[in-house]
Amino acid sequence: MSTSKETVARILEQLEPLDVRARAMFGEYGLYCDEKIVGLICGDVLFVKPTEVSTDFGSEADLAPPYPGAKDYYRVPEERLQDLDHLHAFIQRTADVLPLPKKKSPKKKART
């Protein structure tokens, strides 16, 4: 089941003023904060990448795969999307502990 654009817009609105964006990926969305992928929006549900700070914001009962065959992420219950202080802290602290993505080296031009 793919995620609606309305759900993505609502989640991004809930996360303002954090530096977040969503990127379409295979019919679902990756959620980025400070240019780090912190979660996924799949099936109209927000999932946050597990890190050492995750247990401060969720429990093992919240762990679930965002799509078949995926590793478990923390599923954010609908009522937690309304708790802006909790949601902002969860996303920002997750971004804070994740490393910056590695820079991609430029592709070499083919010789002709």
Side-chain angles (χ1 to χ4, degrees), residues 52-102:
E52 58 265 24
V53 300
S54 300
T55 55
D56 294 344
F57 299 96
S59 69
E60 286 191 27
D62 298 322
L63 287 171
Y67 55 88
K71 293 180 181 180
D72 284 346
Y73 275 55
Y74 283 87
R75 183 181 186 280
V76 179
E78 188 63 34
E79 64 271 8
R80 283 298 198 178
L81 287 176
Q82 307 310 315
D83 183 349
L84 298 184
D85 291 336
H86 179 272
L87 185 62
H88 288 184
F90 194 4
I91 297 301
Q92 188 62 65
R93 287 193 53 210
T94 298
D96 290 345
V97 298
L98 290 171
L100 284 170
K102 294 179 181 176

